[in-house]
Amino acid sequence: MKKLPHVTKHIFITGGVVSSLGKGITAASLGLLLARRGYRVRMQKLDPYLNVDAGTMSPFQHGEVYVTADGSETDLDLGHYERIAGVACTRDSNFTTGRIYSAVIARERQGGYLGKTVQVVPHITDEIKAAINSLDGDDVDIAITEIGGTVGDIESLPFLEAIREYRQAIGRQNGLFIHLTLVPFIKAAGEMKTKPSQQSVGILRTIGIIPDILVCRCEQHLTREHREKMALFCNVELNLVIEEIDVTHSIYEVPLDLARQSMDVYILEMLNLHVRPLAMQDWEAMLATQLNPESGTVEIAVVGKYMSLKDAYKSIYEALTHAGIAHHVGIHIRRVESEDIEKQGCEPLLKSVQGILVPGGFGDRGIEGKIAAVQYARTRGVPFLGICLGMQCAVIEFARNVCGLDRANSTEFEPQTPHPVVDQMEDQKRQTAKGGTMRLGLFPCALGKATKARAAYGAAEVAERHRHRYEFNNRYREKMEARGMVFAGINPASRLVEVVELADHPWFVACQFHPEFQSSPLHPHSLFRDFIKAAMIHRK
Ligand code: GLN
């Protein structure tokens, strides 16, 4: 008998009513369940904004910029895909309107459409379909594509048209639509309302999409009546009205909640795939540890400048949580605005924390507050983890206050500083364009013997993700080494400094790369893990 060609099945996830319903977490949770049922899953996010990638957006606008191993600057939902679903992401895991249009316009200029009028339909939609199709392969059983934004947005239209056409072409047994919607509880009426969801599905229907599954975000359980109403008015089967009730303690509960309602089973059946057994024991154990930490809590100060926005340092907060799980300890995060340190000093804001973390960042706002926080950690022996800009602050602080290099600084903040201990490499100085021009993605790092980093990783060479323009200036290395700074991690090819530590400090490690992007709940990152261990020792 001839073997049938391999078919990659597709799942499309849209969102309705309001944004921030947790589409990314839902998509990732589903990815995890399908992967745990033995299917090879790939994931993708389509973002309807005009930026070519997320790299040029402020965290205030869009939350953290997530960096993939291959160096693309992407939407933070890809972080959920990697952490929760365990699906590795690449440049092809995130397409924006800007990227799609750029490709079409470039092709038009090259004569790729000679004689034709280039239009949204079919040229933009074809380009979107090609992006979706790029997920297909013999090594992929199920591709999950999440559409950013909310149904009804003008800019979402070409994406919705593209997924409609795509499913039309592959057929229902090969492609499914999931719509995530909100069922709000209206206090004054004392009840939950399904109308917004009906209207949102109505908008989808005018475009020609009828969702196969409805996932309803709600504060309280859906009653049978709610489900029946939604099934009737939204044209979905009763058991495919899935509830996604607000999780109180951990987003890692979501996959288990969806599995309890057999959502993954229904999906596999609809896609004509075998329902293989689901193994989630390790996940359940991880969640139980997170929800009931036996070893109390440690308090960690994160000193940054986007503290009011919980998505701005998403991966950092997640990585701290993972490290807590590793030690069965709860993590309490004290969010400290570095500008408040500039006004009030460190003492009132950092007193009694068991660890201090200075994350990445750009621009000089709040920089002196971060440097003061480093000094506090160094002089008081408080465990310290510096990341990217956090490492640069650690170097500046040490240069000024230990090596006596007055006004030492990064040329990012003071181009005329007499001691540019952090500076741009020549190739960066030549860059004028801002998009996608930083030092991006995975680079190797060799770790020195008898360093804390080496002890944490248990390896002599590691690879970590980068996103920065500035570097430690190797001209200052000897001087700083002589005063006790340890240059623990070095790029073997370029000799760039990637990790610094302090010899006479309980735990002071700062890295030029972003370890947070490689941490997951089942595999906490080594540096975060040892940082939290040091914090627990400090607590005693
Ligand atoms: N602004 C610094 C640089 O470009 C640090 C970047 C970061 O923290 N991601 O080098």
Side-chain angles (χ1 to χ4, degrees):
M1 212 170 71
K2 235 179 95 190
K3 210 172 154 255
L4 290 172
H6 176 78
V7 180
T8 298
K9 311 269 180 171
H10 285 264
I11 298 174
F12 301 102
I13 304 188
T14 55
V17 184
V18 291
S19 59
S20 305
L21 285 181
K23 242 186 311 168
I25 292 170
T26 306
S29 300
L30 187 59
L32 172 70
L33 294 178
L34 296 171
R36 288 303 181 94
R37 288 208 185 256
Y39 288 97
R40 297 161 304 171
V41 176
R42 217 173 259 177
M43 301 193 66
Q44 181 185 57
K45 172 104 192 263
L46 303 179
D47 275 310
Y49 48 73
L50 276 162
N51 303 60
V52 171
D53 62 39
T56 53
M57 269 185 281
S58 153
F60 275 127
Q61 290 280 314
H62 207 71
E64 154 190 292
V65 176
Y66 188 78
V67 183
T68 55
D70 65 358
S72 33
E73 299 172 276
T74 70
D75 186 83
L76 58 80
D77 276 330
L78 274 69
H80 296 308
Y81 303 166
E82 294 205 326
R83 282 190 290 269
I84 298 178
V87 169
C89 289
T90 66
R91 188 180 144 72
D92 286 342
S93 311
N94 195 194
F95 284 85
T96 67
T97 298
R99 186 166 159 198
I100 297 285
Y101 270 79
S102 300
V104 170
I105 292 169
R107 190 173 308 121
E108 186 277 330
R109 290 289 81 186
Q110 280 159 9
Y113 304 102
L114 270 190
K116 296 202 184 91
T117 308
V118 184
Q119 293 177 298
V120 174
V121 183
H123 301 104
I124 293 297
T125 44
D126 280 352
E127 194 68 24
I128 296 171
K129 287 194 284 181
I132 296 167
N133 197 244
S134 72
L135 297 177
D136 279 35
D138 285 343
D139 57 340
V140 187
D141 301 314
I142 302 172
I144 301 176
T145 297
E146 175 192 347
I147 320 294
T150 309
V151 164
D153 295 346
I154 292 177
E155 49 268 41
S156 299
L157 272 175
F159 290 99
L160 298 175
E161 170 61 16
I163 61 171
R164 184 194 68 75
E165 291 177 15
Y166 203 97
R167 189 334 249 265
Q168 175 67 17
I170 60 178
R172 181 167 173 190
Q173 74 286 3
N174 292 325
L176 286 184
F177 294 121
I178 298 178
H179 189 56
L180 181 66
T181 178
L182 177 71
V183 179
F185 178 79
I186 305 297
K187 263 207 206 106
E191 56 179 342
M192 304 215 289
K193 293 292 188 185
T194 60
K195 183 78 78 190
S197 303
Q198 293 174 37
Q199 289 180 338
S200 166
V201 171
I203 298 173
L204 268 180
R205 218 184 292 130
T206 60
I207 300 162
I209 294 176
I210 298 178
D212 301 288
I213 300 179
L214 274 187
V215 178
C216 306
R217 282 299 306 274
C218 45
E219 285 172 50
Q220 298 180 5
H221 289 291
L222 296 178
T223 61
R224 184 162 177 100
E225 208 190 324
H226 289 129
R227 286 177 198 267
E228 281 171 353
K229 226 177 178 176
M230 302 263 272
L232 179 67
F233 292 117
C234 301
N235 250 318
V236 296
E237 287 170 36
L238 189 63
N239 53 5
L240 299 179
V241 180
I242 305 284
E243 110 184 343
E244 193 178 308
I245 200 156
D246 292 358
V247 286
T248 30
H249 302 294
S250 166
I251 55 167
Y252 303 137
E253 292 174 44
V254 176
L256 299 172
D257 268 357
L258 298 179
R260 263 192 288 278
Q261 299 173 75
S262 304
M263 179 171 168
D264 52 334
V265 175
Y266 296 134
I267 287 175
L268 292 173
E269 286 172 351
M270 285 191 276
L271 293 174
N272 272 334
L273 293 169
H274 287 297
V275 181
R276 301 178 185 149
L278 176 68
M280 293 288 281
Q281 291 82 351
D282 53 347
W283 193 270
E284 282 162 9
M286 175 277 292
L287 182 64
T289 308
Q290 186 193 0
L291 299 182
N292 301 297
E294 295 144 20
S295 306
T297 57
V298 287
E299 189 173 15
I300 304 295
V302 176
V303 183
K305 65 173 183 177
Y306 309 109
M307 304 319 294
S308 58
L309 208 90
K310 71 178 196 328
D311 276 351
Y313 300 110
K314 185 108 219 163
S315 295
I316 300 239
Y317 298 146
E318 288 292 303
L320 286 169
T321 304
H322 304 157
I325 294 171
H327 296 293
H328 296 232
V329 70
I331 306 288
H332 182 77
I333 294 172
R334 190 188 293 184
R335 296 162 200 247
V336 179
E337 276 291 346
S338 53
E339 281 179 306
D340 289 343
I341 294 186
E342 290 171 5
K343 289 176 219 144
Q344 303 169 36
C346 287
E347 192 59 35
L349 295 163
L350 297 178
K351 206 172 78 191
S352 75
V353 294
Q354 284 99 40
I356 295 173
L357 190 156
V358 177
F362 295 82
D364 64 352
R365 184 170 70 81
I367 202 76
E368 292 302 324
K370 292 179 190 176
I371 293 169
V374 175
Q375 183 178 23
Y376 184 93
R378 178 177 61 79
T379 54
R380 313 267 175 126
V382 182
F384 175 80
L385 178 58
I387 294 178
C388 207
L389 180 66
M391 181 191 106
Q392 297 172 359
C393 289
V395 165
I396 295 167
E397 193 278 325
F398 195 83
R400 287 182 191 172
N401 301 327
V402 179
C403 303
L405 300 173
D406 211 23
R407 276 183 53 214
N409 214 330
S410 162
T411 50
E412 179 179 6
F413 313 125
E414 197 188 339
Q416 304 308 330
T417 169
H419 299 293
V421 290
V422 176
D423 196 8
Q424 279 186 334
M425 302 276 293
E426 284 310 314
D427 56 341
Q428 273 297 335
K429 285 183 187 157
R430 283 193 296 271
Q431 291 286 2
T432 49
K434 287 278 185 251
T437 54
M438 284 189 239
R439 184 171 177 230
L440 287 166
L442 218 52
F443 287 94
C445 170
L447 300 171
K449 287 201 189 92
T451 61
K452 293 183 178 85
R454 175 112 166 219
Y457 283 103
E461 189 169 308
V462 295
E464 291 280 4
R465 301 183 195 175
H466 291 247
R467 179 175 184 250
H468 55 102
R469 291 184 209 285
Y470 293 79
E471 310 283 351
F472 173 73
N473 184 344
N474 268 321
R475 269 182 23 224
Y476 290 89
R477 185 163 161 180
E478 247 170 66
K479 192 168 256 156
M480 296 179 68
E481 227 155 16
R483 303 303 303 269
M485 183 157 264
V486 178
F487 292 85
I490 306 290
N491 179 300
S494 62
R495 310 308 297 166
L496 291 173
V497 169
E498 313 285 34
V499 185
V500 303
E501 299 180 0
L502 292 180
D504 52 350
H505 187 284
W507 206 89
F508 187 108
V509 177
C511 47
Q512 188 56 74
F513 46 74
H514 290 270
E516 70 273 24
F517 295 140
Q518 296 202 80
S519 185
S520 70
L522 295 176
H523 302 284
H525 191 282
S526 319
L527 289 182
F528 279 87
R529 191 198 59 221
D530 278 18
F531 172 53
I532 293 303
K533 187 163 120 204
M536 290 170 77
I537 294 168
H538 188 77
R539 181 176 63 175
K540 291 197 191 115

Short mmCIF file of all heavy atoms in Angstrom, two decimals, residues 103-114 116 118:
data_model
loop_
_atom_site.label_atom_id
_atom_site.label_comp_id
_atom_site.label_asym_id
_atom_site.label_seq_id
_atom_site.Cartn_x
_atom_site.Cartn_y
_atom_site.Cartn_z
N ALA A 103 7.42 42.58 2.50
CA ALA A 103 7.77 41.53 1.54
C ALA A 103 7.02 41.75 0.22
O ALA A 103 7.61 41.64 -0.87
CB ALA A 103 7.43 40.16 2.12
N VAL A 104 5.74 42.10 0.32
CA VAL A 104 4.94 42.28 -0.90
C VAL A 104 5.44 43.50 -1.68
O VAL A 104 5.62 43.45 -2.91
CB VAL A 104 3.44 42.41 -0.54
CG1 VAL A 104 2.62 42.85 -1.76
CG2 VAL A 104 2.92 41.09 0.02
N ILE A 105 5.71 44.58 -0.96
CA ILE A 105 6.15 45.80 -1.65
C ILE A 105 7.53 45.59 -2.28
O ILE A 105 7.78 46.02 -3.41
CB ILE A 105 6.14 47.00 -0.67
CG1 ILE A 105 4.67 47.32 -0.30
CG2 ILE A 105 6.81 48.22 -1.28
CD1 ILE A 105 4.51 48.30 0.85
N ALA A 106 8.42 44.89 -1.56
CA ALA A 106 9.74 44.62 -2.14
C ALA A 106 9.60 43.80 -3.42
O ALA A 106 10.28 44.05 -4.43
CB ALA A 106 10.62 43.88 -1.12
N ARG A 107 8.70 42.82 -3.38
CA ARG A 107 8.49 41.98 -4.57
C ARG A 107 7.91 42.81 -5.72
O ARG A 107 8.29 42.65 -6.87
CB ARG A 107 7.58 40.80 -4.23
CG ARG A 107 7.53 39.76 -5.37
CD ARG A 107 6.75 38.51 -4.98
NE ARG A 107 7.21 37.93 -3.74
CZ ARG A 107 6.44 37.74 -2.67
NH1 ARG A 107 5.17 38.07 -2.69
NH2 ARG A 107 6.92 37.23 -1.58
N GLU A 108 7.02 43.71 -5.39
CA GLU A 108 6.43 44.58 -6.43
C GLU A 108 7.52 45.41 -7.11
O GLU A 108 7.57 45.51 -8.33
CB GLU A 108 5.37 45.48 -5.79
CG GLU A 108 4.57 46.34 -6.78
CD GLU A 108 5.28 47.63 -7.19
OE1 GLU A 108 6.07 48.18 -6.39
OE2 GLU A 108 5.07 48.07 -8.34
N ARG A 109 8.46 45.95 -6.29
CA ARG A 109 9.54 46.78 -6.85
C ARG A 109 10.46 45.95 -7.75
O ARG A 109 11.06 46.44 -8.68
CB ARG A 109 10.36 47.43 -5.73
CG ARG A 109 9.66 48.51 -4.95
CD ARG A 109 9.42 49.79 -5.73
NE ARG A 109 8.27 49.74 -6.62
CZ ARG A 109 7.94 50.70 -7.48
NH1 ARG A 109 8.67 51.80 -7.56
NH2 ARG A 109 6.88 50.59 -8.25
N GLN A 110 10.59 44.67 -7.41
CA GLN A 110 11.45 43.81 -8.23
C GLN A 110 10.75 43.31 -9.47
O GLN A 110 11.32 42.53 -10.25
CB GLN A 110 11.94 42.62 -7.40
CG GLN A 110 13.10 42.99 -6.48
CD GLN A 110 13.25 42.01 -5.32
OE1 GLN A 110 12.59 40.98 -5.30
NE2 GLN A 110 14.11 42.35 -4.39
N GLY A 111 9.52 43.71 -9.64
CA GLY A 111 8.79 43.28 -10.83
C GLY A 111 8.08 41.95 -10.64
O GLY A 111 7.63 41.33 -11.62
N GLY A 112 7.96 41.52 -9.42
CA GLY A 112 7.34 40.22 -9.13
C GLY A 112 5.87 40.15 -9.50
O GLY A 112 5.30 39.06 -9.58
N TYR A 113 5.25 41.29 -9.67
CA TYR A 113 3.82 41.28 -10.02
C TYR A 113 3.58 42.03 -11.33
O TYR A 113 2.51 42.61 -11.53
CB TYR A 113 2.99 41.96 -8.93
CG TYR A 113 3.14 41.39 -7.54
CD1 TYR A 113 3.95 42.04 -6.60
CD2 TYR A 113 2.47 40.24 -7.15
CE1 TYR A 113 4.07 41.55 -5.32
CE2 TYR A 113 2.59 39.74 -5.86
CZ TYR A 113 3.41 40.41 -4.95
OH TYR A 113 3.53 39.93 -3.67
N LEU A 114 4.59 42.07 -12.20
CA LEU A 114 4.50 42.94 -13.38
C LEU A 114 3.16 42.83 -14.09
O LEU A 114 2.68 41.73 -14.37
CB LEU A 114 5.63 42.59 -14.37
CG LEU A 114 6.94 43.37 -14.18
CD1 LEU A 114 7.87 43.13 -15.35
CD2 LEU A 114 6.70 44.86 -13.98
N LYS A 116 0.30 43.57 -12.94
CA LYS A 116 -0.87 43.38 -12.08
C LYS A 116 -1.09 44.57 -11.16
O LYS A 116 -0.17 45.33 -10.86
CB LYS A 116 -0.68 42.14 -11.20
CG LYS A 116 -0.59 40.85 -11.97
CD LYS A 116 -0.94 39.68 -11.06
CE LYS A 116 -0.76 38.35 -11.77
NZ LYS A 116 0.58 37.79 -11.58
N VAL A 118 -1.50 45.36 -7.46
CA VAL A 118 -1.20 44.63 -6.22
C VAL A 118 -2.21 45.06 -5.15
O VAL A 118 -2.38 46.25 -4.89
CB VAL A 118 0.25 44.89 -5.77
CG1 VAL A 118 0.57 44.06 -4.53
CG2 VAL A 118 1.21 44.55 -6.89
#
